[in-house]
Amino acid sequence: MDKRLPVFIGNQAVGEFLRYCQGQNLKEFLLVADENTYQVLGEHVDKSLRAQGYDVVTVVLKGEEVLANEHYLIRVLLNYDRKERTFLAVGSGTITDITRFTSHRAGRGFISLPTAPSVDGFTSIGAPLVVGGLKQTVICQPPLAVFADLPTLAAAPRRMIAAGFGDLVGKYISIADWKLGRLLWGERYDEDIAGRMLGAARDIAAHVEDIASGSVESIRTLMDGLIESGFGMLEFGNTSPAGGAEHHIAHHWEMMMLSDHRHAALHGAKVGIASIIAASWYAEVREMTRDEAYRRLEKARLPEPKDEEQKIRAIFGPITDEILPTQKGFIEMSGAQFEALKTRILNHWGEVQEITASVPPAQDFSRWLGMLGGPTDPAEINLSEAEVRLAKDYSHYMRQRFTINKLRLLLGLP
């Protein structure tokens, strides 16, 4: 068990879960699953609880693609009868996000029973939701406990394991971005959390061959890393430790796909591809001398706020008014502030180079993901070149953070 909150990853997770419920005197539950996750684990959990004489309301969400949006959130809340029920999330990322939000709004706790090592949000406080077409993270609550059945995780579809790997190995980018944000934009930062997150990314990169071979213990390593990432977000209080340029690009793609009613690839798959893109930007900056950076920054011009707002409205449409307040610090910089930012970049160029050196080459990300059968090119998830270009150029508006994407735009890199 993890000392921060109970976490069990092993062969008898359901038995451990039942013992936990008995010890905590939990007898009333609302179980949330989709049709697939109910079949692989939910039904077993459901029957095990009922065999103990517990009161269980079971909500199996149906549909070709279950999303953490208004429709499915309401479906769960409609089944809540205001009893003192503990919510159970039996599934991976989407089911966990739906349950995290609905349990929080119902004033109840929830327990996570993951069915695939596909995301890093099991122990976090944020629920990425799609509300009004905008992908946004709503701060809610962590689970009371996590019980992950290792045989179920190891039997998960290969694409979901590859997605979990993509989400976690993307921390190479998010931590480097977090360091850039602290150095160049004064963002809040925690060295201990950053070290643990980066350690988790390095650990699974070192075990990629074992994960590819189907080693059960390597799946435990992957799940441990995903749990650690969630704890990093939980301890810091937001997603800064786990979401940089790679996540902003992925979120932008998700929003475009949702607006066109297209089937969206798994979140971690998009993060993996976006990490390849971000790693290539880091490589370009790594090869740049301070003199070249100086020449490029000399050409950089302060954006006109009205022009930037017009661009944001053209790209993001009806959700612009939610994005603009988060970007005020960037798009309304004074001339003096803009010059100070450029000077800060040059004065800290050596430290910028140290940060870039911590990011593996893009080819490594491609090789790792390819070994696991994950996509490595946007075309593989039905994204056009134009959509990729839009996300590269405008996804940095998705969050109020200074990332490699903002730096490369200032430097005039393609």
Side-chain angles (χ1 to χ4, degrees), residues 24-39:
Q24 298 296 315
N25 198 31
L26 303 177
K27 298 179 179 180
E28 297 178 318
F29 304 90
L30 190 150
L31 187 154
V32 183
D34 63 29
E35 291 177 292
N36 291 324
T37 64
Y38 188 76
Q39 181 179 355

Side-chain angles (χ1 to χ4, degrees), residues 355-397:
I355 293 170
T356 64
S358 69
V359 177
Q363 295 90 331
D364 284 358
F365 286 90
S366 295
R367 177 171 55 83
W368 294 332
L369 292 167
M371 288 174 65
L372 299 180
T376 59
D377 188 284
E380 295 179 66
I381 57 172
N382 300 315
L383 286 164
S384 68
E385 291 184 10
E387 289 171 326
V388 174
R389 184 76 264 168
L390 279 175
K392 287 180 177 180
D393 291 345
Y394 294 101
S395 63
H396 65 99
Y397 288 124

Side-chain angles (χ1 to χ4, degrees), residues 52-65:
Q52 299 293 319
Y54 294 150
D55 179 2
V56 185
V57 171
T58 303
V59 183
V60 179
L61 300 175
K62 299 181 179 181
E64 185 176 346
E65 184 178 16

Side-chain angles (χ1 to χ4, degrees), residues 68-334:
N69 63 13
E70 300 100 316
H71 171 77
Y72 288 105
L73 297 175
I74 291 297
R75 295 300 304 172
V76 173
L77 289 173
L78 284 173
N79 284 275
Y80 176 55
D81 55 9
R82 297 187 61 81
K83 287 187 177 182
E84 294 187 359
R85 297 187 183 279
T86 300
F87 284 51
L88 306 176
V90 185
S92 53
T94 298
I95 293 297
T96 302
D97 294 333
I98 290 170
T99 309
R100 187 191 315 280
F101 178 84
T102 53
S103 64
H104 182 259
R105 292 310 193 257
R108 306 303 308 156
F110 84 100
I111 295 170
S112 173
L113 294 105
T115 56
S118 57
V119 294
D120 67 349
F122 294 112
T123 54
S124 77
I125 58 174
L129 308 177
V130 180
V131 181
L134 174 64
K135 185 72 177 283
Q136 55 186 292
T137 298
V138 179
I139 301 303
C140 300
Q141 63 184 0
L144 300 171
V146 178
F147 296 91
D149 185 62
L150 191 55
T152 300
L153 299 181
R158 185 178 176 88
R159 65 188 184 88
M160 299 191 80
I161 294 172
F165 181 92
D167 202 6
L168 189 54
V169 82
K171 282 17 173 190
Y172 275 115
I173 306 297
S174 60
I175 296 303
D177 279 353
W178 200 16
K179 291 178 178 180
L180 284 180
R182 173 190 59 170
L183 180 68
L184 304 176
W185 199 251
E187 295 176 12
R188 189 166 63 95
Y189 176 82
D190 187 293
E191 187 68 48
D192 180 62
I193 293 174
R196 298 202 312 266
M197 303 282 270
L198 188 57
R202 288 171 172 164
D203 201 18
I204 58 134
H207 287 86
V208 64
E209 292 184 359
D210 295 330
I211 297 171
S213 70
S215 160
V216 173
E217 280 307 306
S218 71
I219 297 299
R220 184 195 296 273
T221 300
L222 174 58
M223 192 66 188
D224 281 338
L226 293 168
I227 293 290
E228 184 59 56
S229 180
F231 274 130
M233 290 183 276
L234 175 62
E235 292 174 31
F236 194 69
N238 66 39
T239 60
S240 291
E246 81 298 335
H247 268 72
H248 305 163
I249 292 171
H251 288 325
H252 198 169
W253 285 340
E254 285 165 354
M255 287 171 56
M256 286 191 287
M257 290 175 155
L258 287 168
S259 67
D260 293 341
H261 304 288
R262 280 183 285 169
H263 175 73
L266 290 168
H267 170 73
K270 293 189 287 290
V271 171
I273 296 171
S275 295
I276 296 170
I277 293 170
S280 70
W281 290 336
Y282 268 104
E284 290 185 82
V285 175
R286 185 162 55 244
E287 295 168 2
M288 189 181 297
T289 66
R290 185 182 182 281
D291 287 342
E292 184 182 350
Y294 173 80
R295 290 191 295 271
R296 287 178 172 272
L297 289 171
E298 279 289 290
K299 297 177 183 178
R301 293 294 176 262
L302 180 66
E304 170 59 44
K306 289 184 179 178
D307 291 341
E308 290 301 294
E309 180 177 338
Q310 188 175 26
K311 290 178 184 177
I312 293 172
R313 288 196 181 280
I315 299 300
F316 294 100
I319 63 174
T320 299
D321 290 337
E322 297 185 50
I323 290 176
L324 284 175
T326 70
Q327 297 300 313
K328 188 175 181 180
F330 293 110
I331 65 178
E332 294 186 8
M333 273 191 291
S334 67

